[in-house]
């Protein structure tokens, strides 16, 4: 199915360093899909930590302002361009976009799409796209934690953390998860032993639960606390750093905190203690596009299968109309919710 008729799209624009209320709504006409492209109608997109950093100009390699945010999307193919299987039209797919998904419609390369299981709600699938791939790859490709091991998940109530907890529990791994006290009951239900991250003795509390050290720590916070995460590891353990949330409100270069972190991890890896430290980057290896896309599709397909089988329960914090993206971003930044805030089409 293809068309030459332009499609009117509503997009959310991040104009510069603004508060969530500074997001702008615009409409524009999208041309018909080009060779290899499809026109996708957005059924659900999400608010990730990346957007929280981007509005501050703190994301490591964000595009220049203004731009349309939106790290991932679940949508239905409306039309296909030349060279694309016309049978894709009418079917639901997921994709990781990095930017551009906060829109009612978008043009995207067909090669970027991963099928969503029939009958799965769009918001359910959306919740595990970038978050699910990230959690799966960190646990099984980076840390390679084996059944019987013990791991620490910082922010166990968050979008990535809540999936990490469930994946680890499913794999026979003991999980210690940090979260504020109000989220402890939910974290237990996911499969982790909760520890209050407001407790100044948080790391001592973790050591009491795992006196011999842990096999892996998944740390999205960075900052001074990364040293304590490293110290939690037993010999042979792995630190997986995947963010610098501790510095998101600091002024200055968006790259400096990451570069400092790279230096610290490299220094630790030079020590003869059997431990290892990694910085997980979702986009690592993208220059080898075919292999990157194959691995992404393979991992997302596995995560979606676990959702369909009831092994993973996506944590949807709220479903908010696209035009109210400002409220969605503010809610995500409030740190008062479990899981992911999802943007959906207008009612």
């Amino acid at each position: 199915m293809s068309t030459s008729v332009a499609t009117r799209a509503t997009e959310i624009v991040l104009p510069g360093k603004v508060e969530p209320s500074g997001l702008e709504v615009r409409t524009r006409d999208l041309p018909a899909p080009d060779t290899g492209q499809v026109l996708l109608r957005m059924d659900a997109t999400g608010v990730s930590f990346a957007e929280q950093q981007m509005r501050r100009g703190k994301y490591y390699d964000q595009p220049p302002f203004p731009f349309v945010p939106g790290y991932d999307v679940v949508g239905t193919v409306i039309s296909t361009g030349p060279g694309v299987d016309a049978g894709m039209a009418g079917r639901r797919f997921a994709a990781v976009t990095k930017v551009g998904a906060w829109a009612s419609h978008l043009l995207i390369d067909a090669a970027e799409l991963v099928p969503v299981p029939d009958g799965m709600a769009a918001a359910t699938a959306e919740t595990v796209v970038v978050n699910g791939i990230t959690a799966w790859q960190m646990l099984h490709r980076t840390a390679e934690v084996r059944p019987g091991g013990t791991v620490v998940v910082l922010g166990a109530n968050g979008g990535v953390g809540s999936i990490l907890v469930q994946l680890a529990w499913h794999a026979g791994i003991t999980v210690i998860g940090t979260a504020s006290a109000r989220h402890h009951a939910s974290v237990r239900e996911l499969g982790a032993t909760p520890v209050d991250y407001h407790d100044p003795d948080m790391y001592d509390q973790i050591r009491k639960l795992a006196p011999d050290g842990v096999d892996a720590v998944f740390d999205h916070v960075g900052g001074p606390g990364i040293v304590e995460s490293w110290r939690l590891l037993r010999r042979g353990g792995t630190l997986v750093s995947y963010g610098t949330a501790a510095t998101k409100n600091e002024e200055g270069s968006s790259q400096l905190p990451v570069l400092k972190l790279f230096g610290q991890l490299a220094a630790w890896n030079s020590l003869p203690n059997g431990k290892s430290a990694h910085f997980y980057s979702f986009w690592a290896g993208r220059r080898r596009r075919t292999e990157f896309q194959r691995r992404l599709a393979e991992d997302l397909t596995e995560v979606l299968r676990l959702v369909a089988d009831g092994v993973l329960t996506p944590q949807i914090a709220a479903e908010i109309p696209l035009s109210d993206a400002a409220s969605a971003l503010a809610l995500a930044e409030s740190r008062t919710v479990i899981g992911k805030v999802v943007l959906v089409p207008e009612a």
Side-chain angles (χ1 to χ4, degrees), residues 211-227:
D212 297 326
V214 300
D215 296 278
V217 179
F218 300 95
D219 186 324
H220 69 292
V221 180
I226 197 79
V227 176

Side-chain angles (χ1 to χ4, degrees), residues 15-75:
K17 296 180 182 179
V18 297
E19 293 300 311
S21 59
L23 291 172
E24 298 175 357
V25 181
R26 76 176 182 196
T27 59
R28 69 183 180 105
D29 288 332
L30 297 180
D34 205 343
T35 301
Q37 289 186 325
V38 303
L39 174 65
L40 195 73
R41 182 194 69 215
M42 184 273 287
D43 296 330
T45 181
V47 182
S48 303
F49 184 69
E51 286 90 36
Q52 300 174 38
Q53 291 180 300
M54 285 178 184
R55 79 163 183 84
R56 297 173 170 88
K58 297 289 288 184
Y59 191 76
Y60 183 75
D61 57 353
Q62 71 185 65
F65 298 113
F67 64 93
V68 177
Y71 219 91
D72 55 7
V73 64
V74 170

Side-chain angles (χ1 to χ4, degrees), residues 75-322:
T76 301
V77 172
I78 300 301
S79 61
T80 58
V84 178
D85 177 10
M88 295 179 72
R91 296 173 57 199
R92 178 170 282 169
F93 294 89
V96 180
T97 53
K98 198 171 191 176
V99 294
W102 286 9
S104 64
H105 299 79
L106 59 155
L107 294 168
I108 189 168
D109 288 347
E112 306 286 334
L113 300 178
V114 177
V116 172
D118 291 341
M120 183 175 292
T124 296
E126 159 55 35
T127 306
V128 299
V129 181
V130 69
N131 289 347
I133 296 168
T134 298
W136 177 271
Q137 292 184 347
M138 290 196 301
L139 183 66
H140 294 299
R141 292 189 183 271
T142 305
E144 297 181 312
V145 183
R146 297 178 179 178
T150 299
V151 302
V152 173
V153 175
L154 301 188
N157 61 301
V160 173
S162 60
I163 299 174
L164 253 174
V165 170
Q166 294 179 80
L167 287 175
W169 185 86
H170 176 64
I173 297 165
T174 298
V175 188
I176 300 167
T178 71
S180 63
R182 66 176 174 271
H183 295 314
H184 282 191
S186 298
V187 169
R188 283 193 188 92
E189 289 180 9
L190 295 175
T193 299
V195 174
D196 189 351
Y197 63 48
H198 293 299
D199 187 337
D201 298 321
M202 181 186 84
Y203 286 97
D204 288 335
Q205 297 301 322
I206 294 173
R207 289 187 186 93
K208 290 178 182 178
L209 294 170
D212 297 326
V214 300
D215 296 278
V217 179
F218 300 95
D219 186 324
H220 69 292
V221 180
I226 197 79
V227 176
E228 295 295 338
S229 291
W230 172 255
R231 291 172 178 167
L232 290 175
L233 298 174
R234 64 164 181 78
R235 185 175 182 84
T238 303
L239 170 64
V240 183
S241 169
Y242 66 106
T244 54
T247 63
K248 74 175 183 178
N249 291 322
E250 293 181 5
E251 294 297 323
S253 169
S254 63
Q255 298 188 354
L256 187 58
V258 179
L259 295 175
K260 285 183 177 179
L261 179 59
F262 286 170
Q264 178 68 82
L265 301 182
W268 282 333
N269 281 328
S270 69
L271 299 175
N273 57 16
K275 300 179 183 180
S276 62
H278 302 268
F279 185 83
Y280 171 84
S281 170
F282 187 96
W283 301 101
R286 199 184 189 195
R287 291 181 179 179
R288 299 170 61 186
R289 184 176 179 183
T290 300
E291 171 62 20
F292 174 85
Q293 194 60 40
R294 182 200 61 77
R295 185 173 67 247
L296 183 151
E298 181 180 298
D299 295 345
L300 179 54
T301 297
E302 179 62 19
V303 170
L304 289 170
R305 184 188 66 79
L306 291 174
V307 174
D309 290 347
V311 172
L312 276 180
T313 302
Q315 305 296 303
I316 302 172
E319 296 181 40
I320 296 174
L322 178 67

